[in-house]
Amino acid sequence: MTLKLVIIGGGSSYTPEIIEGIIDRHDQFPVTEIALVDIEQGKEKLQIITGLAKRMIHKANKSIVITSTLERRRALSGADFVTSQIRVGGLKAREKDERIPFSYGALGQETNGAGGIFKALRTIPVLLEISKDMQELCPNAWLINFTNPAGMVTEALLKYGEHKRVIGVCNIPFNMRTGVAEILKCNVEDIEIEFLGLNHFVFGRRVLVKGVDCTANVIERLKDPANQYSPANIVSEGWSTTFLSAFKMLPNPYHSYYFKGADMLEKNLEAYWENGTRAEVVQQVEAELFKKYENESLEEKPTELEKRGGAFYSDAACNVMTSIYTNKGDVQTVNVQNNGTISDLPDDVVIETNALMGADGPRPISIGALPLSIRGIIQLMKNVEELVIEAAIKGDRERLYQALLINPLVREEALAKDLMEDLLEAHKEDLPQFYQQA
Ligand code: G6P
């Protein structure tokens, strides 16, 4: 029997992590082929990653064939699982998403504010092409998407894509669980967090340790700034006692941009003047990583990969794939279509939530009404996302302007216009939908 996994964006520096994830789970999830796919511009990186992946498989003594190609359609044929980790326009495009808002004194961030909106505009059309190919070439395969902004991309795929077997994943809920396990000094397997909200805007409503509610205890411990669960890309200084006592929920690290906006902006601007954008820092980290990857004696994932904010994303992805393959029916935190899970949001939008994962995919666990404290802000954030998706599909500048205007990290009408014009111009090549002749 064959079990084929296709990794789109296979030349990414993150790929060794997913290879390690597959090796570690091979007894339960016996993948026979991993096809790494990239585009012409990623050719060199793809070659290096392919070499390292082969050495890792050889060292682990697993019978998994590693193939690599620039022809996506050829790879997709016969796939059982497909993961997507692409970056349209590469890190150079991310640099613009970060630098242009900073130049207006606004937050420049990969998945939030104007930068996140433009990343979605570039990415959604490409993912819809992949969806079309999958429906034709591997209609039964599951697409596990962690291409950012993962929530919006997954929603666009489920609303407008031809292929509906799509699940979005992110490392943030995974990091929060492992972070809480460290704080409580217990096994991560014993911890369940009731997540609700949106990608990069998710809250932990309840923490259960072996089924016992420990939420109050965790919230109390989060009052100590030493107890954090932030990824490498976000410098978190913790939360005030007032905030934690009033919300009674676990915030995720991205909430700092919204609830501690002025502080975060000041710190991010300082870091920008000192070291450049995060995209530039990441390019240096990548250059070092690829130097290591090239070394023929390297046979495992180097620890330096943990300097990247997305570290451990592959655990989330590999756990989802394993649960589907083995029909496990365990709880996984994923991005799925709402369909009544949260009664205060439309059915067809994507939320980040807990779901039972089995052979038929995710079955979200009902949440009901949102807590009053966060109902408005979640509806607003979702409203932004819906507008962005429409803008991305139709190349609609009015929708884009509306999205920028109501986004809490932009919010000013003149700023929304300036950011829209500058970013559209800067990303012209990757946004053909906005430049089509009538
Ligand atoms: C976080 C997010 C990821 C994102 C990453 C960026 O962990 O959850 O979605 O990709 O940060 O990290 P980077 O190292 O690229 O700044």
Side-chain angles (χ1 to χ4, degrees):
M1 224 191 73
T2 61
L3 178 53
K4 181 176 181 181
L5 167 67
V6 176
I7 303 180
I8 300 186
S12 158
S13 58
Y14 283 114
T15 301
E17 200 187 275
I18 198 161
I19 302 290
E20 184 187 74
I22 299 296
I23 291 172
D24 289 348
R25 291 164 183 80
H26 202 238
D27 292 348
Q28 297 171 65
F29 185 47
V31 171
T32 55
E33 179 184 348
I34 302 177
L36 304 173
V37 181
D38 220 299
I39 55 172
E40 186 62 37
Q41 293 94 308
K43 197 172 170 179
E44 208 182 310
K45 285 184 175 178
L46 181 65
Q47 264 166 11
I48 296 171
I49 294 287
T50 306
L52 174 58
K54 284 184 177 167
R55 296 195 296 278
M56 288 174 74
I57 299 293
H58 180 75
K59 186 183 178 205
N61 198 19
K62 301 287 179 196
S63 49
I64 305 174
V65 176
I66 302 282
T67 58
S68 70
T69 179
L70 302 182
E71 287 175 52
R72 181 175 81 211
R73 286 177 55 84
R74 221 171 81 191
L76 284 177
S77 156
D80 298 290
F81 289 91
V82 177
T83 63
S84 165
Q85 50 182 31
I86 63 169
R87 189 185 285 285
V88 179
L91 284 164
K92 289 288 167 204
R94 175 173 172 184
E95 242 180 86
K96 297 176 194 167
D97 285 341
E98 294 172 338
R99 183 178 298 113
I100 293 172
F102 277 147
S103 72
Y104 285 97
L107 183 79
Q109 215 281 325
E110 182 196 24
T111 58
N112 289 266
I117 289 177
F118 271 78
K119 184 165 170 53
L121 300 181
R122 295 193 299 278
T123 311
I124 286 169
V126 179
L127 261 295
L128 288 174
E129 286 299 311
I130 295 172
S131 164
K132 201 166 156 197
D133 286 349
M134 282 186 70
Q135 192 53 20
E136 183 189 332
L137 300 162
C138 52
N140 292 320
W142 282 96
L143 172 59
I144 312 298
N145 175 64
F146 26 85
T147 290
N148 267 326
M152 281 192 264
V153 168
T154 306
E155 181 166 319
L157 283 165
L158 288 168
K159 273 182 175 169
Y160 296 99
E162 291 186 19
H163 187 82
K164 300 293 183 195
R165 294 187 139 210
V166 179
I167 302 170
V169 294
C170 179
N171 63 341
I172 293 295
F174 184 84
N175 289 0
M176 285 172 73
R177 260 184 86 211
T178 45
V180 167
E182 274 168 32
I183 292 168
L184 297 179
K185 300 191 177 31
C186 57
N187 289 331
V188 67
E189 296 78 36
D190 294 336
I191 297 206
E192 200 174 310
I193 303 182
E194 218 177 276
F195 284 104
L196 80 167
L198 314 178
N199 181 235
H200 288 183
F201 211 88
V202 77
F203 290 87
R205 179 160 64 171
R206 246 157 46 103
V207 181
L208 304 173
V209 182
K210 290 188 180 170
V212 177
D213 193 331
C214 295
T215 318
N217 182 9
V218 175
I219 298 220
E220 200 47 44
R221 286 171 192 244
L222 283 180
K223 292 175 183 169
D224 176 352
N227 290 332
Q228 289 305 320
Y229 38 64
S230 266
N233 60 312
I234 304 177
V235 183
S236 167
E237 286 173 4
W239 298 93
S240 72
T241 299
T242 316
F243 176 90
L244 290 165
S245 304
F247 269 83
K248 297 185 179 58
M249 282 185 284
L250 276 60
N252 89 71
Y254 282 93
H255 283 133
S256 310
Y257 294 122
Y258 297 86
F259 301 135
K260 301 171 72 142
D263 236 37
M264 288 296 278
L265 178 59
E266 199 187 309
K267 298 227 161 55
N268 278 264
L269 278 170
E270 270 169 26
Y272 168 59
W273 296 124
E274 215 178 300
N275 304 314
T277 56
R278 172 78 187 161
E280 287 163 292
V281 174
V282 163
Q283 283 172 72
Q284 279 172 21
V285 175
E286 282 221 330
E288 284 162 30
L289 279 172
F290 273 94
K291 234 185 255 158
K292 291 213 160 223
Y293 293 173
E294 262 177 322
N295 185 341
E296 297 275 327
S297 60
L298 183 74
E299 296 174 319
E300 53 195 28
K301 179 194 86 177
T303 46
E304 285 88 340
L305 188 49
E306 286 164 26
K307 286 190 198 161
R308 294 296 305 277
F312 310 116
Y313 80 94
S314 62
D315 275 303
C318 289
N319 287 343
V320 166
M321 293 191 285
T322 306
S323 293
I324 293 177
Y325 182 77
T326 59
N327 193 17
K328 202 167 177 183
D330 61 341
V331 176
Q332 306 269 340
T333 309
V334 282
N335 283 262
V336 285
Q337 219 157 27
N338 182 34
N339 286 329
T341 309
I342 294 179
S343 54
D344 301 311
L345 291 175
D347 279 348
D348 63 348
V349 302
V350 159
I351 58 170
E352 191 160 276
T353 190
N354 288 349
L356 299 174
M357 196 64 65
D360 295 331
R363 272 192 295 132
I365 300 168
S366 178
I367 289 174
L370 287 166
L372 182 60
S373 51
I374 56 168
R375 185 172 68 204
I377 185 83
I378 288 199
Q379 287 174 332
L380 171 66
M381 294 303 290
K382 181 42 76 184
N383 195 172
V384 173
E385 295 190 354
E386 291 179 271
L387 291 168
V388 174
I389 294 165
E390 279 199 17
I393 300 283
K394 299 172 187 152
D396 183 331
R397 286 172 193 240
E398 286 180 1
R399 285 286 189 238
L400 171 57
Y401 177 73
Q402 292 162 1
L404 285 161
L405 187 60
I406 68 165
N407 187 293
L409 302 182
V410 181
R411 238 183 24 198
E412 291 287 329
E413 74 99 4
L415 179 63
K417 177 175 175 287
D418 290 343
L419 286 174
M420 179 171 84
E421 284 172 358
D422 284 12
L423 282 157
L424 274 176
E425 184 59 32
H427 291 301
K428 207 169 182 172
E429 269 180 36
D430 292 319
L431 295 175
Q433 71 273 44
F434 286 89
Y435 292 94
Q436 272 148 11
Q437 302 297 331

